[in-house]
Amino acid sequence: MTTINKLEQALAGAKGLSAQFKTFSMDTDDQQAKQMFNQLATTLENAAQTLQGRVDFVKNEEPQYNQQQ
């Protein structure tokens, strides 16, 4: 597995987890749990943004990865 594949897999995982935490937040009536899930979702959204930046950088630095769509 190439570096770009690993980065894209991590990016997809972070986005997926963020979405799950948002769903958990909506599914609970416990305000403390709701806040925790929202904070976790935000943390993962920030991680996804960071990973997206790295994916973009790698694709820019290594043109062969642009062809792996």
Side-chain angles (χ1 to χ4, degrees):
M1 182 179 283
T2 64
T3 299
I4 197 69
N5 293 124
K6 291 176 185 178
L7 285 169
E8 288 175 336
Q9 187 176 34
L11 176 59
K15 287 180 178 180
L17 283 173
S18 176
Q20 285 182 326
F21 286 134
K22 286 179 184 179
T23 300
F24 294 158
S25 173
M26 291 185 286
D27 288 346
T28 186
D29 292 329
D30 181 336
Q31 291 303 311
Q32 189 173 8
K34 189 177 290 281
Q35 181 180 5
M36 178 193 66
F37 288 132
N38 282 326
Q39 287 174 340
L40 288 168
T42 299
T43 299
L44 284 163
E45 287 170 0
N46 291 337
Q49 287 177 351
T50 301
L51 285 167
Q52 184 64 62
R54 188 64 186 165
V55 167
D56 294 343
F57 175 81
V58 170
K59 284 183 175 181
N60 188 46
E61 291 295 309
E62 302 290 340
Q64 74 270 18
Y65 289 141
N66 282 324
Q67 299 167 6
Q68 290 188 5
Q69 300 292 327

